[in-house]
Amino acid sequence: MAVFVALGAFLMTLIGGWTAQRVTDRRHLVLGLAGGLMLGVVGLDLLPEALEAAGGPVFGVPAALLLFVAGFLGAHVLEHLLAQRQAAHGGDEHGDGRVPEVGLTAASALVGHSLMDGMAIGAAIQVGGGMGLAVALAVIAHDFADGFNTYTLTRLYGNARRKALTMLFADAAAPVVGAASTLLFTIPEQLLGGYLGFFGGVLLYLAAAEILPEAHHDHPARSTLACTVAGVGFIWLVVGIAG
């Protein structure tokens, strides 16, 4: 049953990536929507879950928030280290300061998130009752955003379309693998909470420092802002329905 439900997440992820690919002629709108979806996922989905699951405070600060800040700083440092390495080996290949490895790293993190989503489906179904249905609906709905963001991030950093599609299919398959894995073992809740906090920091950095500035750079239009707000609203709707 868990794997069957995860197949719905598989299809929804592919639909999200297909949508991002088809609307490239409105790139600023795609980026604005992607930024809104990422902000919504971080603030309304990941952080609340992380704060609940990651354990008690460390020197007066919740462990999830410390890992959230660590994720933000880690993404910032990684991007600059990779940019310096690329400059030392022949300069900026793409002319915009972006490093393809950053996009692949971000997409890989989204794949990891989708893997955790699949595990959540499996665990919730094992609990029984309405829990499995609620979690499944939430995962399937926001996997559209995951697929959309995976393809958009990979391409934004200058990676070839083939690599973007590879990461998209990996992201789509991850919930199925995660759901199947719950038949063999479970991951401690505290470890999952820590991962969600760290991953939330990474996503926030990419949304605030890269995607949204790029979306509004050449097209500071109200339509772009509306797409960003719509992305946040969509995640809020998904979280509200699941709750």
Side-chain angles (χ1 to χ4, degrees):
M1 180 62 182
V3 175
F4 178 76
V5 172
L7 288 175
F10 174 88
L11 293 175
M12 189 62 71
T13 302
L14 292 182
I15 292 172
W18 178 84
T19 302
Q21 181 183 357
R22 295 294 294 178
V23 293
T24 51
D25 58 327
R26 294 289 184 269
R27 185 169 180 268
H28 60 292
L29 299 181
V30 172
L31 294 176
L33 179 61
L37 290 171
M38 291 170 70
L39 288 175
V41 167
V42 171
L44 307 178
D45 184 20
L46 295 182
L47 274 184
E49 290 185 30
L51 286 168
E52 183 177 347
V58 179
F59 288 105
V61 178
L65 293 183
L66 287 175
L67 289 166
F68 175 79
V69 173
F72 189 98
L73 292 175
H76 178 63
V77 170
L78 176 63
E79 182 176 33
H80 281 273
L81 287 177
L82 289 174
Q84 290 175 5
R85 189 188 71 174
Q86 181 171 317
H89 289 79
D92 181 10
E93 180 181 351
H94 299 283
D96 57 6
R98 290 193 171 85
V99 184
E101 289 87 347
V102 173
L104 293 176
T105 301
S108 298
L110 284 166
V111 173
H113 178 222
S114 294
L115 184 69
M116 299 297 181
D117 282 346
M119 292 179 179
I121 291 176
I125 289 178
Q126 288 177 9
V127 170
M131 178 66 71
L133 178 61
V135 172
L137 288 175
V139 169
I140 290 173
H142 93 249
D143 270 358
F144 173 88
D146 283 351
F148 192 98
N149 289 333
T150 297
Y151 185 88
T152 301
L153 276 172
T154 309
R155 292 290 282 155
L156 177 65
Y157 280 85
N159 291 284
R161 179 174 176 271
R162 178 178 57 83
K163 288 186 178 181
L165 290 175
T166 299
M167 296 308 300
L168 174 63
F169 275 96
D171 188 48
V176 181
V177 175
S181 72
T182 59
L183 302 175
L184 304 175
F185 61 89
T186 58
I187 296 179
E189 183 181 17
Q190 190 169 345
L191 181 61
L192 283 174
Y195 170 80
L196 291 177
F198 185 86
F199 175 56
V202 172
L203 274 191
L204 182 63
Y205 174 80
L206 293 173
E210 299 291 339
I211 289 185
L212 289 178
E214 177 70 15
H216 292 276
H217 177 63
D218 293 325
H219 297 274
R222 293 181 180 177
S223 56
T224 306
L225 180 59
C227 285
T228 302
V229 174
V232 175
F234 172 76
I235 299 299
W236 187 12
L237 178 64
V238 169
V239 171
I241 293 174

